[in-house]
Every structure is written in C-alpha cells, then in structure tokens.
Amino acid sequence: MFDPAEMARHDAEAARRMPGPDYYTVLAWIHAALRPAVYLEIGVSFGESLKLAAPPTLAIGVDPDPQADHRWRAETHIHRMTSDGYFARENVPAISLALLDAEHLFEKTLRDFRNVERHAAPGAVALLHDTVPLCERTAARQRVTEFHTGDVWKMLAYFALRRCEMDVVTILTPPSGLTMVRGLGGGDDGREENEIAALEWERHQDHRITIPNSKAAVQDWLLRQ
Ligand SMILES: C[S@@+](CC[C@H](N)C(=O)[O-])C[C@H]1O[C@@H](n2cnc3c(N)ncnc32)[C@H](O)[C@@H]1O
C-alpha cells in the first residue's frame, strides 16, 4: 500500500537523525526508573510497548482493535474500546505513567492528554510518541506514508504556549521521538486550540527541547524533583 523504496529511505533517515537506542528501549528505561503503580497505554496494537511494564505495575491498555497476545510480566488489562470510551467510564484509576500512542492527530492527542491529566496521580508522567516528524509528507494529517507521525508535533507548541508550568523534554529516539511531560494536574481552560492546530509545518521544531538519548540522561530527568 505504501512505496517500499520511500519506506526504506524514511527508516534510514530516521536512524541517521536519531541515532542510539530505539523507543522501546527508552520506554523500558522509564519503567525501570519509575516502577509506576498504574501505567495506562492508549494505542496497544501488537503489545510491543505494553509488554514492557513489569511488576509491581498494573498495566492498562486501551485500543479498539488490539492485536496483542503476550505473556505479560505485569498484571495487564486490555480494554477493547476507544480512549474516549475508556475515559467515559466511572472507575478510571489514578494514573502514574501514561503513553499516548493512538491516532496521530493533534486534537485527538490533546483530548487524550487532557483526560490523562484529569486522572493523574501526584507526580505522574505522560509520554507522547511520534513527536518528531521527518518531513512534511510524514506529518500529513491524512496518512500517505508508512512512516507517519501526523501532526502530533503540535502538542509541543501546546505545552510551550499554553502550559509553560509543565516540564517537557523530547528524546530523539528512533523511529519518531518520545516526549516526556510532568507537572500534570493543573488542567487548562479547555478552550479550542485552533491557533495551534493551524500552525504551519515550518514551525515543527520551534518548541522542541531535547535531552540526550541515553539511559543516564532519561533517568536523571525522571528522578530529578
Ligand atoms: C501506533 S499503534 C500503537 C503502537 C504501540 N503503542 C507500540 O508501540 O507497540 C496505534 C494503535 O492505536 C489504536 N487506536 C486508534 N484509535 C484509537 C483510539 N481512539 N483509542 C485508542 N486506541 C486507538 C489503533 O487501533 C492502533 O492499534
């Protein structure tokens, strides 16, 4: 369905721009450092990220079409539904760590983030995948490439422009970056984010603050008060 030659070019370019351990390795470092009581993953797919949770964590996956069939290390519950459906329930537990990795659209990711924030435990960390696009084609809202981040990068503008009280850093981990956010719980005024949604592609790096793609740098950021 996608051009294999373009796929290979994008993969090579992502590895060149973002050398070092991949996103699953980084996620494993984060679990090891935080040992979160409750981990919520929005967008499970084959369970390759969900399976990184380990005891004593309670892992919750939400996906309308999960394909995962693992021997989970942590106690793991998968809810076959959309994130909106999950957050409409009454018994959402306090979330210590969340990964947002579902639809690659700014407004959907923002809605998931706002819902995570409403249920955040003190000191919670939110992770956003796909915050580092390669080029405008890979950031298209209508997917035309296999390597696809959509316009999730606009979340970095949202944090910088509307939520400057939050601590937000991005790790340039292949294939498409991972952003860590803490300082959750304040909420925002819930207004429409049309100005941010309308940002042009040229602005995609404006609000990106990076830390090295190394275990030491990631754990140092996580464990710093
Ligand atoms: C990129 S994949 C997740 C990959 C997984 N986190 C990993 O790294 O192995 C995106 C997943 O999001 C799911 N998804 C799409 N819309 C969703 C929604 N509204 N709520 C929750 N999950 C959704 C899709 O079914 C798909 O399995």
Side-chain angles (χ1 to χ4, degrees), residues 23-24 41-45 48-49 62-64 82-83 101-103:
Y23 133 84
Y24 294 118
E41 182 168 297
I42 302 175
V44 171
S45 192
E48 291 303 306
S49 45
V62 177
D63 193 315
T82 65
S83 50
D101 191 18
E103 292 171 86

Side-chain angles (χ1 to χ4, degrees), residues 14-92:
R16 192 186 69 77
R17 288 192 208 176
M18 291 179 266
D22 69 6
Y23 133 84
Y24 294 118
T25 304
V26 174
L27 202 49
W29 296 340
I30 295 170
H31 277 286
L34 295 180
R35 293 167 58 83
V38 175
Y39 169 64
L40 174 72
E41 182 168 297
I42 302 175
V44 171
S45 192
F46 293 101
E48 291 303 306
S49 45
L50 189 60
K51 75 178 185 190
L52 299 172
T57 296
L58 167 67
I60 302 169
V62 177
D63 193 315
D65 185 25
Q67 312 286 327
D69 181 20
H70 289 282
R71 290 205 175 164
W72 309 107
R73 286 188 294 161
E75 180 182 343
T76 300
H77 301 228
I78 298 185
H79 298 271
R80 185 179 284 271
M81 56 178 64
T82 65
S83 50
D84 287 345
Y86 179 73
F87 286 116
R89 293 157 53 112
E90 283 175 3
N91 52 351
V92 177

Side-chain angles (χ1 to χ4, degrees), residues 4-163:
E6 184 181 48
M7 277 166 60
R9 277 200 308 278
H10 285 161
D11 287 346
E13 186 58 20
R16 192 186 69 77
R17 288 192 208 176
M18 291 179 266
D22 69 6
Y23 133 84
Y24 294 118
T25 304
V26 174
L27 202 49
W29 296 340
I30 295 170
H31 277 286
L34 295 180
R35 293 167 58 83
V38 175
Y39 169 64
L40 174 72
E41 182 168 297
I42 302 175
V44 171
S45 192
F46 293 101
E48 291 303 306
S49 45
L50 189 60
K51 75 178 185 190
L52 299 172
T57 296
L58 167 67
I60 302 169
V62 177
D63 193 315
D65 185 25
Q67 312 286 327
D69 181 20
H70 289 282
R71 290 205 175 164
W72 309 107
R73 286 188 294 161
E75 180 182 343
T76 300
H77 301 228
I78 298 185
H79 298 271
R80 185 179 284 271
M81 56 178 64
T82 65
S83 50
D84 287 345
Y86 179 73
F87 286 116
R89 293 157 53 112
E90 283 175 3
N91 52 351
V92 177
I95 300 162
S96 328
L97 177 67
L99 172 66
L100 280 56
D101 191 18
E103 292 171 86
H104 296 167
L105 292 172
F106 165 64
E107 67 279 9
K108 296 270 177 73
T109 310
L110 178 57
R111 197 157 72 221
D112 285 341
F113 179 79
R114 283 173 166 154
N115 279 323
V116 165
E117 197 172 18
R118 283 196 299 121
H119 296 282
V125 172
L127 307 172
L128 280 66
H129 194 212
D130 303 306
T131 46
V132 182
L134 281 183
C135 60
E136 192 168 8
R137 244 171 97 68
T138 64
R141 287 174 55 82
Q142 285 258 359
R143 185 174 189 170
V144 289
T145 52
E146 204 272 338
F147 185 110
H148 179 241
T149 61
D151 63 350
V152 177
W153 63 266
K154 291 174 187 166
M155 287 297 294
L156 304 188
Y158 162 77
F159 293 125
L161 302 174
R162 304 270 194 265
R163 305 297 305 277

Side-chain angles (χ1 to χ4, degrees), residues 153-173:
W153 63 266
K154 291 174 187 166
M155 287 297 294
L156 304 188
Y158 162 77
F159 293 125
L161 302 174
R162 304 270 194 265
R163 305 297 305 277
C164 60
E165 79 282 10
M166 298 188 123
D167 190 358
V168 182
V169 292
T170 295
I171 307 152
L172 298 180
T173 175

